[in-house]
Structure formats: structure tokens, C-alpha cells
Amino acid sequence: MEGFHNVSTTMLTKKTKRSLLAAGISLLASAAIQAGEVEVLHFWTSGGEAQSVQELKAMMTARGHSWKDFTVAGGAGGNAMATLKQRVLEGHAPAAALIKGPAIQEWAELNALTNLDSMALFDKWDESLPKVVADQMKYKGHYVAVPVNVHRVNWLWANSAVLKKAGVADMPQTWDAFFVAADKIRAAGFVPLAHGGQDWQDFTVFETVALGVGGPEFYDKALLKLDKAAIGSDAMKKTLETFRRLKTYVDGKSPGRDWNVTTDMVIKGKAGFQFMGDWAKGEFLAAKQQPGKDFTCTPAPGTTNAYTFNVDSFAMFQLKSWEAQKAQGYLAYVLMGKDFQERFNLRKGSIPAHLNLKMNKFDECGKRSNVDFAATAKAGTLLPSVAHGMALSTAQQNAMRAAVSEFWNTDSMSVGDAIGRLQTLNAPVAAVVPKPVESKLANAAKKQ
């Protein structure tokens, strides 16, 4: 497979398309004859996520390829990215790495990723993906990454038994209703809100509150465009006030707790609610719980007609060995296949990125997510999650997380101070790769 820097960014000719199509067919035909090793960097280590990875491993090894699991736990991928930077710098990049959003383009700009157009043309990816997803997988019009799912982030999860014992009849649709329900849950002796005190989890709740309080237009201006006026508006003030009020319903052991451990509090009936993306559903399912019976899912208060998305995707790195390239190509083919996307997402809690997949095997949460994804795409209220790396540069995202997390953890910090801090974040910031690493990668590219 050809390195990305060798592919023209102009429109493909018919002859080029035929060549790419032939390359894709040849790649798959030869894969079983000369199997290779595929090393994959990911951070799917919790129960539901780990089961999902086993599906992928089984499909690759069945074709004769050896799978090398390169897992880096913790930090919602932060630790994994630090490890990846070091590996690429040393010239030992994995075949694929779990990378999302603008970070894909940042790595492509550094000439680290390989071109997947031959496979994309062979398998008709442009016809199989929503445009909003396909665009994130491309750099200058060329595929460099493969999406495996679409996660909805703005979910509210609840333990059905806890709600019943607390006398909460319905899932709250407004923030006022949420606080009334939370008071009842606390009075019944349960933790009202399960929350893991890590900066990405803090921001997951914050952006959900911002969407519910201010609406999609406010979310777009304040969190995606970093508009100073929107950040300084009454909507942001109310967002921060609501966000801080939520903390009063969280238990004292929250700081540093991983998200899946936090979800387990809801699963085991220790807590009533959790704000988290639908990867949490994978944990409920792994615990043999059923939606609508043991647990309930609903869009977070005020967000019924909006959808914040997080797409898990694998960026493909340039490899030297032809055998490794073929294994990498087959991995891309499997990742985009309907069979894998169905099996994977049934376990992961998300919905397939692949269009036209029947949803009859999916539960009520998955079916609603799929319907809402299509509806919000048409309505213009389908929005990328900032907390999960789908919208801003890595540095901007990290700066926002830090500011929001400081506000969450510092009771003496005023709403005005938090707004002032957030208003400074539209200044130019560094890219995902530190300058010393960027320079070495650029120099390496020039030698090729």
C-alpha cells in the first residue's frame, strides 16, 4: 500500500480508480496466502469494550493473521497517545491506532498515515458512510482511517430498581425534574449521581449540561467555535451553575475513579443516575442486564432533539513490510464490514457507522440512537463531542478540560472566573504532536 505522501490530492481519474480497485482486490486475494502480523494500539480494556475487541481478534486470526494487542489503559486515550508518539518517533508505529476527530488530520499532516483509497474504492466506503463521518476519516479527500461505530454521548442512564425504590416514576426531561429526582434518590439512601472525577468525565457532563441548558446553537458557538460572546453569555453562566449543582449529588469517592467503575455503581444499585456515552451500555449488557427492565436510557435533560457524537476510528500508519501492509489492509476491510460492525456494536453499546445495516438485533437504546442520529443529521443538531476529541485540536480540548475540571474541583472558583478562563481558549494552540517530535517526523518524510 502506497504511502500517503505519494498520492496526488487531485481528483482521481477513471484509470486511477481502476488501478486502486485492482489493488484492493489483489490485497484481499493475497492476504490469506501470505498472512502477516497486525499490531493494534487501543485502550478498550473494560468489560464490554474488551469483549468487543475479541470479535475483531477472532475475525483476523481466522484469516491467518497474527494479532498483537497493544493496549494502553486509562485516561480516555491520553496515555495511549503519549505511547504512540514515542513509538512513531522511534520508527516503530503500530499497524493501527485508535485515533479520533481532528487528531486524525494532525497525524496525516505529519506524513505518518497510509492511504486507504484502494480499499475504500473496492468496498464503496463513500456509499456506506454518512458524510459527516466519512469527512473525519479523510485527509485532503483521501481515506487514512476507518470508523467502527457512532456513539451518542448525551445519554442519561439509570438503575430502574433504584428509581422505583426512590419513588421516581419517570426519567427527567428537564434539569429541574432531574434535581427533584436526585433529591428523592438521596432521601432513599442511594448516591443520586455516579460520577468519576477525571477531567474527561467532568467535561462529558459539562458539555451535556451546556447542550441541555443553552441548546445546539449555544453549544456550537461556545464549545465548537469558542466564541467569546457565547462563552460570556447568560447561557454559559446558567450552564456553570447547573454543572456545579450536580456535584452536590456525587459521592466523596469520585475523584480519580474510572468511568466503568462508576457505571458499576449504577449496575449494582448503589447509585441512581450517570451521564455517560453509550459505551456505558456495554457494561450493563456485559453484566447481563436488560434495557427497559434493569436499566433505562434517555437523552440527558433538555437534549432530546440533539445528538453529540463520538466516532471510534482506527488510523492506519505507514508500514515497511509488504506482509504487514496486507494484514493492515485486511484489518481495514474487516473493520468496515457489515458483519463486524453489527457484532462489534451489539457488544460495545454504540451503533454501526456503516449505513443501511438492519437494526432488528439492537435493543431499544440502540434503535433510538440510530433514529435520532438520522433525524438530528437532517435537522442540523448533530454535533461533535468536544469531550471525546471530535471537534477541537488536542491542545484546545485539553485546555478546556483542564479549565472545566478546575471549576468542578475548586469550590472557591467563581462562575465569572471560570468564564474568564474559558474565554482565553480561542487563542492559537499547539498541535497534537510536540514540536520536537513534529520536526523529526517532517525530516523523516523528506528523506522518503
Side-chain angles (χ1 to χ4, degrees):
M1 296 175 69
E2 195 173 10
F4 181 79
H5 60 291
N6 290 327
V7 179
S8 170
T9 58
T10 59
M11 185 177 295
L12 296 175
T13 64
K14 290 183 179 180
K15 183 177 180 181
T16 302
K17 287 183 178 180
R18 287 196 297 269
S19 298
L20 287 173
L21 182 60
I25 295 172
S26 174
L27 185 83
L28 292 177
S30 62
I33 299 173
Q34 289 182 296
E37 179 183 84
V38 59
E39 183 180 21
V40 181
L41 187 155
H42 64 89
F43 43 94
W44 288 335
T45 54
S46 70
E49 293 174 326
Q51 287 183 16
S52 300
V53 173
Q54 294 306 313
E55 296 283 359
L56 182 55
K57 281 186 181 182
M59 296 179 81
M60 289 298 293
T61 54
R63 190 65 180 239
H65 298 297
S66 61
W67 174 284
K68 187 174 182 181
D69 216 8
F70 185 2
T71 58
V72 181
N79 296 340
M81 290 303 99
T83 303
L84 178 61
K85 292 171 191 174
Q86 187 62 35
R87 285 284 303 273
V88 174
L89 182 60
E90 294 172 351
H92 300 293
L98 187 57
I99 299 176
K100 304 180 294 182
I104 294 172
Q105 285 71 44
E106 291 173 5
W107 279 107
E109 286 176 358
L110 296 171
N111 195 48
L113 304 183
T114 196
N115 183 289
L116 300 173
D117 282 347
S118 60
M119 184 58 64
L121 186 63
F122 168 77
D123 211 22
K124 300 180 180 179
W125 290 4
D126 277 340
E127 300 174 23
S128 304
L129 294 171
K131 188 177 185 301
V132 67
V133 175
D135 287 347
Q136 293 211 353
M137 301 302 113
K138 296 178 180 180
Y139 175 68
K140 293 185 177 180
H142 298 285
Y143 280 98
V144 293
V146 188
V148 294
N149 61 11
V150 175
H151 279 294
R152 187 178 197 168
V153 178
N154 58 309
W155 281 115
L156 174 62
W157 306 93
N159 181 293
S160 301
V162 170
L163 296 193
K164 186 176 181 179
K165 292 175 182 177
V168 178
D170 301 304
M171 290 289 278
Q173 302 299 307
T174 66
W175 288 107
D176 286 341
F178 176 85
F179 291 123
V180 169
D183 286 335
K184 290 182 178 180
I185 292 170
R186 180 157 56 193
F190 303 98
V191 175
L193 178 61
H195 178 69
Q198 298 170 334
D199 63 354
W200 72 269
Q201 293 189 65
D202 295 341
F203 204 94
T204 296
V205 176
F206 174 77
E207 73 174 22
T208 297
V209 174
L211 181 62
V213 168
E217 186 177 354
F218 167 73
Y219 181 99
D220 176 66
K221 289 181 178 179
L223 302 190
L224 304 185
K225 294 183 173 66
L226 302 181
D227 179 78
K228 282 190 174 182
I231 294 174
S233 68
D234 288 341
M236 179 59 79
K237 180 180 178 181
K238 187 175 181 181
T239 294
L240 288 164
E241 290 171 347
T242 304
F243 178 62
R244 172 160 279 170
R245 186 177 176 186
L246 287 174
K247 187 182 177 182
T248 64
Y249 295 94
V250 173
D251 68 293
K253 297 181 180 179
S254 171
R257 186 167 55 210
D258 288 336
W259 72 269
N260 54 307
V261 178
T262 304
T263 301
D264 194 58
M265 294 173 61
V266 182
I267 291 172
K268 292 181 177 177
K270 297 178 181 178
F273 294 120
Q274 182 186 20
F275 294 103
M276 187 55 62
D278 52 21
W279 49 91
K281 190 181 71 174
E283 300 299 298
F284 285 102
L285 298 179
K288 308 301 182 184
Q289 294 201 350
Q290 299 178 31
K293 179 182 177 182
D294 303 301
F295 68 95
T296 305
C297 63
T298 192
T303 71
T304 299
N305 297 318
Y307 191 119
T308 46
F309 69 88
N310 171 26
V311 176
D312 286 323
S313 53
F314 285 96
M316 301 290 172
F317 283 79
Q318 293 187 29
L319 302 175
K320 297 177 181 178
S321 164
W322 174 232
E323 287 74 20
Q325 290 175 18
K326 286 184 291 186
Q328 181 188 59
Y330 187 68
L331 173 64
Y333 175 73
V334 169
L335 289 171
M336 266 298 292
K338 288 184 179 180
D339 182 40
F340 169 73
Q341 292 231 346
E342 179 181 78
R343 291 162 60 183
F344 174 82
N345 286 289
L346 283 170
R347 290 186 181 275
K348 187 73 161 58
S350 44
I351 60 173
H354 201 298
L355 291 171
N356 304 319
L357 247 173
K358 293 181 179 179
M359 297 293 291
N360 56 300
K361 293 183 181 180
F362 286 78
D363 56 50
E364 60 186 61
C365 298
K367 289 176 181 175
R368 173 159 189 178
S369 181
N370 191 57
V371 169
D372 288 354
F373 179 73
T376 55
K378 291 181 180 179
T381 56
L382 178 63
L383 302 160
S385 168
V386 177
H388 297 276
M390 302 306 299
L392 304 177
S393 72
T394 304
Q396 285 175 319
Q397 175 197 165
N398 290 342
M400 289 195 79
R401 280 187 187 177
V404 167
S405 194
E406 182 180 358
F407 176 75
W408 176 269
N409 291 304
T410 309
D411 293 339
S412 60
M413 187 176 184
S414 69
V415 168
D417 287 342
I419 288 175
R421 175 90 176 269
L422 290 170
Q423 285 180 321
T424 67
L425 299 181
N426 61 353
V429 289
V432 63
V433 183
K435 286 295 181 182
V437 180
E438 181 177 344
S439 298
K440 291 185 179 182
L441 286 172
N443 292 333
K446 291 177 182 179
K447 296 178 182 179
Q448 295 185 25

